Structure formats: structure tokens, C-alpha cells
Amino acid sequence: NGVLNQGDSYTIQTEVTDNRNVESVTTTDLSGNSISLTDGNDDNIYDNSLTLQSGVNDGSYDRTITASDGSQNTGTGTTNTIDVDNTNPSISFNAATTNTGTYQQSYINLDVSASDAHLDTVEEIFDGQRSGFSGGNYVENHTGLADGEYDFYAEASDVEGQTSSTSTRTVTLDTTAPQITNTAVSPSPAKQGEQITLSADTSDATSSIGSLKVEVFGTNYTLTQGSGTSYSTQITVPFDQNPQSY
């Protein structure tokens, strides 16, 4: 018994005995071609080594072997079942799998469906490490993860070594707020009607900065990124503004 795919070698073999000489032992290969089996060692074992050709559909096959002697008596037998599998496994992420993106959390979920007539292994490749799924289902929940970027995908293999993989997803975990430093107002103090520059540095260890805003005189202003981590904006002090410290 075994599983074959295109290009694999296989042998059809049988033992034949007769009280007279065996004239012929014939059968068909998995492509349906008539072939002869021969006893090269004079040990009553008749065989023929073959290669599985293209065009043989997936499925289970057996072959009828016919032996004839010099008196035209015939006997038949049936080979063991041979399975042909030329199809790669099917594998995909289920909806519960964390999608590519940035998340304010410390976990990533994998949930996979895989199938094949002769499925062998289903594995996850998470952050460069390959491992099998625990339990009977193809589900893995990675918890307590540090902030950072994680790549992952899943791979299925059948007994013939044929493999299929999901696409790779990239997830960034970011649970740490950005840092704001070097805040400044120039000039300070400023007069009514005078233009002032508000500036600050901000950075985030994991993600890019989405926006930096400051509230002055009861109004929110968005600072524009300059060089590196520096942000600034210019506003005019309202004429009706009373003296304040910022």
C-alpha cells in the first residue's frame, strides 16, 4: 500500500507457482497500459518497476494480475490498493485570524482550515518559528506578546510532501503611548496680534505618529512634522486674549 504522485516509482509484484512452467504474467500499469511481470531471480516472484506517468487521476487503484502456464491454464489475483494524489493540500485562514494591521493589544489569533485526501501536517510559522498546532483543531492564540511587528502564515503538507501555504500576514502590536518632549513656545512672552511658534518633539517605539495636536487659547492646532521627530506650527495671539502662561 502507498500513495503516489506523478514521477514516483512503484513496483507491481506477485508470487506465482504452477506444477508446470509459467508462460506469462501480465497486468496493466496505473495508466492502463498492458505490461508483463518477470521472474528475474527464479524465485517465483514476478514484478515490474514502473514510474507513474502524467494523466493518472487522483484516486485509489488496484490491478488484476493474470498468470498463464504452458497448458493455457490461467489464474488471477488482485494487487493491493495504490492511492494516487497529485493535488496539493488546501489551506486558508478563518475569519477569527488576526488581519494585517496595527492593534492596541498584546495577542494574535490564528485559526486555520486545512484539507487533503492524505493530509500529513499542518503547521504555523509565527515570527520565524515553525511549530505544529496544539490540540485537535488548527487554532493557536499567542498572548502576552511584546509591542512590535509579527509576521505569520500557515502551511499544510500531505504524505507525498506536497505543500500549500496561506498568505503571510503582518501584525503590529502597539500598547505604548507616544512620547512628547522639548515642548516650546517662541517668542515667550508674546503680545496680542503677534505670531508665535509652537514646537515639540514626539516619537513612538513601534508605530508612526498619526498626529500631534496642541490646545492654545481654547482652540486645537495640528503641528506639522519637520525634520525627524520635530513638529511645529505658527499661530497668531488673538487681540482679545488676556495674559496667560502656556
Side-chain angles (χ1 to χ4, degrees):
N1 289 343
V3 180
L4 304 173
N5 66 10
Q6 182 179 329
D8 282 349
S9 297
Y10 66 100
T11 299
I12 297 178
Q13 178 180 285
T14 188
E15 181 177 5
V16 181
T17 59
D18 191 79
N19 57 8
R20 300 187 60 184
N21 291 334
V22 175
E23 291 288 328
S24 66
V25 180
T26 59
T27 187
T28 57
D29 64 15
L30 295 181
S31 298
N33 302 309
S34 179
I35 59 170
S36 295
L37 308 183
T38 58
D39 179 6
N41 297 320
D42 198 24
D43 57 1
N44 298 326
I45 302 299
Y46 290 75
D47 56 26
N48 194 333
S49 296
L50 307 160
T51 300
L52 183 63
Q53 303 300 316
S54 61
V56 179
N57 295 328
D58 288 5
S60 297
Y61 296 83
D62 55 33
R63 286 293 178 260
T64 298
I65 299 173
T66 301
S68 300
D69 62 17
S71 300
Q72 301 305 307
N73 297 308
T74 61
T76 60
T78 304
T79 64
N80 294 330
T81 299
I82 301 172
D83 291 327
V84 174
D85 183 359
N86 293 304
T87 304
N88 286 9
S90 173
I91 186 168
S92 61
F93 284 131
N94 294 324
T97 301
T98 306
N99 280 313
T100 292
T102 300
Y103 300 87
Q104 190 177 347
Q105 62 191 41
S106 59
Y107 61 88
I108 295 175
N109 297 328
L110 278 75
D111 189 335
V112 175
S113 292
S115 61
D116 187 85
H118 305 96
L119 189 63
D120 187 23
T121 61
V122 180
E123 298 176 307
E124 62 162 340
I125 298 83
F126 186 88
D127 201 28
Q129 301 297 314
R130 180 183 293 269
S131 62
F133 287 89
S134 58
N137 298 320
Y138 307 128
V139 175
E140 198 69 55
N141 298 320
H142 295 272
T143 60
L145 298 174
D147 283 2
E149 185 177 273
Y150 297 86
D151 294 330
F152 61 89
Y153 65 97
E155 182 178 274
S157 301
D158 64 18
V159 297
E160 270 296 308
Q162 299 171 123
T163 63
S164 295
S165 301
T166 65
S167 59
T168 298
R169 293 188 178 181
T170 300
V171 170
T172 300
L173 302 182
D174 184 4
T175 60
T176 305
Q179 300 297 309
I180 301 175
T181 58
N182 300 324
T183 58
V185 179
S186 179
S188 180
K191 303 175 183 179
Q192 291 177 335
E194 186 174 10
Q195 189 176 69
I196 61 174
T197 299
L198 310 174
S199 62
D201 289 345
T202 186
S203 61
D204 190 275
T206 305
S207 305
S208 60
I209 299 298
S211 66
L212 178 60
K213 296 182 179 181
V214 61
E215 184 181 348
V216 182
F217 311 132
T219 302
N220 284 320
Y221 296 91
T222 299
L223 279 66
T224 302
Q225 185 175 11
S227 174
T229 61
S230 298
Y231 288 73
S232 64
T233 190
Q234 292 182 327
I235 64 173
T236 300
V237 179
F239 284 99
D240 60 353
Q241 182 61 47
N242 295 322
Q244 296 185 40
S245 296
Y246 295 93

